[in-house]
Amino acid sequence: MSSAASRPTAGPFDRGHTDDLMAFLTASPSPYHAVASAAERLEKAGFRRVEETAAWDATSGGKYVVRGGAIIAWYVPEGAAAHTPYRIVGAHTDSPNLRVKPQPDMGAHGWRQVAVEIYGGTLLNTWLDRDLGLAGRLTLRDGSHHLVNVDRPLLRVPQLAIHLDRGVNDGLKLERQRHMQPIWGIGEVHEGDLISFVAAEAGIDAEDVSGWDLMVHAVDAPAYLGRDRELLAGPRMDNLLSVHAAVAALASLAGRDDLPYIPVLAAFDHEENGSEADTGAQGPLLGNVLERSVYARGGAYEDRARAFAGTVCLSSDTGHAVHPNYAERHDPTHHPRVNGGPILKVNVNQRYATDGSGRAVFAAACEKAGVPWQSFVSNNDMPCGTTIGPITAARHGIKTVDIGVAILSMHSARELCGADDPYLLANALVAFLEG
């Protein structure tokens, strides 16, 4: 950990940022809602949406592009040259959950159920016996999309009683196909019932719905926890905590024409299942946006090459805080703690993209912001996870550093972090984007 003070000595964010994160989490039960929430906040800061199908101009100011569950936003200072490098904060909008299948209506023995598919590496048991809502987007026959959010107890995945599984406390075994289909009522199963219900919730005629991307979410609200309210429990912190911090950091720089870099937010979808999508980090979206921005300002390929060569990306995703009940699963000399500030994530096998020069960039940003930071490395006996960091570095040739906030219960329906860490991260991101 650095020797900086335990609270930032500079920067715009304090505990009020964490309060706002709670509202952001609640408003963002799906990647599509997260993008809409981010866009709304950027609009209030003066950013304007540009369409990928339209011609882009050389005007300065804040702009953003939306594609499905991904958003790329950037601020061009007045007078920025075509070869001006970027400072990027990368994150992702998706979280592991249960997603509705194309033929969702099912049931047995008088129960009406919803057919779901497991998305990402979710902790299955955390979805049991929990009040669940349904959210996502509906696609109409004319190609338009409508967001829908049934944010009340609607579904439940009931666990088998202990009387019928006496050995359950010796090891719970859940079959993804048989045991994870939620119930949502009783009676006969009729094809089209679920989509008719969801369409009615959205105020749309079910006959106009031709497609859907719907997912289950826990409806219990984020909450402070602990004797001194020093912890925060809530859903989808992996990785909406980083998305929210990056949006706030970028919005705070609107109107700053003294910036030596062009600050960028890149929030992708589908990180939890490998990023191989047109809205994922493996796709061309980020590169297209950065290149088009160069060319819109009159640049040529040489300017693009110069800009990319001077660009740095912080890939901000959650990491593992040391678990008090399983400390042996962590590296014995690296024990990140909650409220200890953001973590620098290192893996020499390039599951994380950080190297020594990247560490220096991150350390300088934290020092400037007066924010403490910590290092994370996996136990050698445990496989290491990965992020959009190595993908971004390899695909675009951009120096990338993996960072994040240390949490417990990663990939649970409800995760846990330190209540100070979100605003410590946001202040570090401001200092990084400022250069």
Side-chain angles (χ1 to χ4, degrees):
M1 185 185 298
S2 77
S3 60
S6 62
R7 297 296 181 269
T9 56
F13 303 116
D14 55 19
R15 180 61 80 88
H17 174 89
T18 306
D19 295 336
D20 191 62
L21 169 62
M22 296 167 72
F24 184 81
L25 294 172
T26 300
S28 306
S30 78
Y32 314 107
H33 289 82
V35 166
S37 299
E40 180 181 6
R41 290 160 185 261
L42 291 169
E43 290 272 358
K44 290 180 179 177
F47 285 68
R48 61 182 177 89
R49 179 169 177 171
V50 295
E51 300 297 334
E52 291 186 82
T53 55
W56 292 6
D57 58 38
T59 57
S60 59
K63 305 173 185 180
Y64 69 92
V65 164
V66 169
R67 182 190 289 185
I71 182 170
I72 311 291
W74 65 104
Y75 181 82
V76 180
E78 185 71 36
H83 61 267
T84 300
Y86 299 96
R87 281 287 176 104
I88 305 168
V89 177
H92 64 89
T93 61
D94 60 319
S95 301
N97 58 14
L98 314 179
R99 301 206 171 188
V100 175
K101 289 183 175 180
Q103 296 178 341
D105 298 292
M106 63 175 292
H109 307 291
W111 295 102
R112 298 170 69 191
Q113 294 174 277
V114 176
V116 297
E117 189 174 4
I118 310 302
Y119 178 84
T122 186
L123 284 170
L124 296 179
N125 64 296
T126 67
W127 294 91
L128 302 178
D129 297 332
R130 188 182 291 275
D131 294 338
L132 304 171
L134 197 64
R137 69 177 183 179
L138 301 174
T139 302
L140 304 192
R141 296 187 185 279
D142 63 5
S144 63
H145 301 295
H146 287 261
L147 297 185
V148 61
N149 182 12
V150 185
D151 195 29
R152 64 177 186 274
L154 177 68
L155 307 106
R156 185 181 179 92
V157 183
Q159 188 168 192
L160 186 64
I162 193 171
H163 313 81
L164 304 178
D165 186 6
R166 291 293 184 178
V168 65
N169 288 327
D170 297 322
L172 174 64
K173 176 65 176 178
L174 293 170
E175 296 182 21
R176 296 159 75 90
Q177 180 63 39
R178 291 178 57 206
H179 299 150
M180 296 305 298
Q181 311 305 319
I183 62 173
W184 74 302
I186 57 176
E188 294 184 8
V189 176
H190 299 287
E191 184 178 352
D193 273 359
L194 181 71
I195 300 306
S196 293
F197 166 78
V198 173
E201 289 286 312
I204 296 169
D205 189 335
E207 294 296 320
D208 292 332
V209 177
S210 61
W212 52 87
D213 301 280
L214 300 171
M215 57 206 71
V216 172
H217 68 277
V219 299
D220 35 345
Y224 287 111
L225 183 148
R227 186 193 67 178
D228 299 318
R229 293 163 55 89
E230 67 267 44
L231 301 171
L232 176 66
R236 300 176 295 280
M237 291 187 189
D238 179 12
N239 185 32
L240 294 188
L241 189 159
S242 293
V243 174
H244 175 258
V247 169
L250 181 60
S252 75
L253 300 179
R256 288 279 303 276
D257 290 327
D258 60 335
L259 301 174
Y261 301 98
I262 295 174
V264 180
L265 157 70
F268 301 101
D269 198 356
H270 296 300
E271 187 273 350
E272 297 293 356
N273 60 6
S275 297
E276 292 183 340
D278 69 325
T279 54
Q282 297 248 34
L285 182 58
L286 175 61
N288 286 350
V289 168
L290 300 183
E291 289 178 352
R292 290 185 68 179
S293 179
V294 168
Y295 300 147
R297 283 176 279 125
Y301 182 81
E302 181 71 10
D303 298 292
R304 180 259 188 218
R306 293 174 65 189
F308 277 44
T311 292
V312 182
C313 173
L314 289 189
S315 166
S316 182
D317 204 345
T318 53
H320 302 293
V322 61
H323 196 302
N325 299 336
Y326 301 92
E328 73 281 0
R329 303 293 182 96
H330 300 266
D331 182 85
T333 59
H334 295 77
H335 282 174
R337 298 188 178 189
V338 297
N339 289 334
I343 56 175
L344 179 75
K345 301 159 77 171
V346 178
N347 179 263
V348 295
N349 294 302
Q350 290 299 291
R351 301 293 284 174
Y352 302 130
T354 306
D355 64 9
S357 62
R359 172 190 171 102
V361 171
F362 178 65
C366 289
E367 181 178 358
K368 177 181 177 182
V371 168
W373 60 278
Q374 312 172 78
S375 292
F376 170 84
V377 65
S378 290
N379 186 309
N380 283 323
D381 293 325
M382 298 284 172
C384 181
T386 191
T387 69
I388 65 166
I391 297 170
T392 302
R395 179 170 180 82
H396 306 293
I398 290 173
K399 178 179 290 295
T400 304
V401 189
D402 274 296
I403 67 161
V405 162
I407 69 171
L408 293 182
S409 305
M410 187 185 293
H411 287 197
S412 169
R414 194 170 177 86
E415 297 162 324
L416 183 72
C417 76
D420 294 342
D421 282 328
Y423 75 81
L424 294 174
L425 173 65
N427 280 299
L429 295 184
V430 170
F432 166 74
L433 291 175
E434 287 180 327

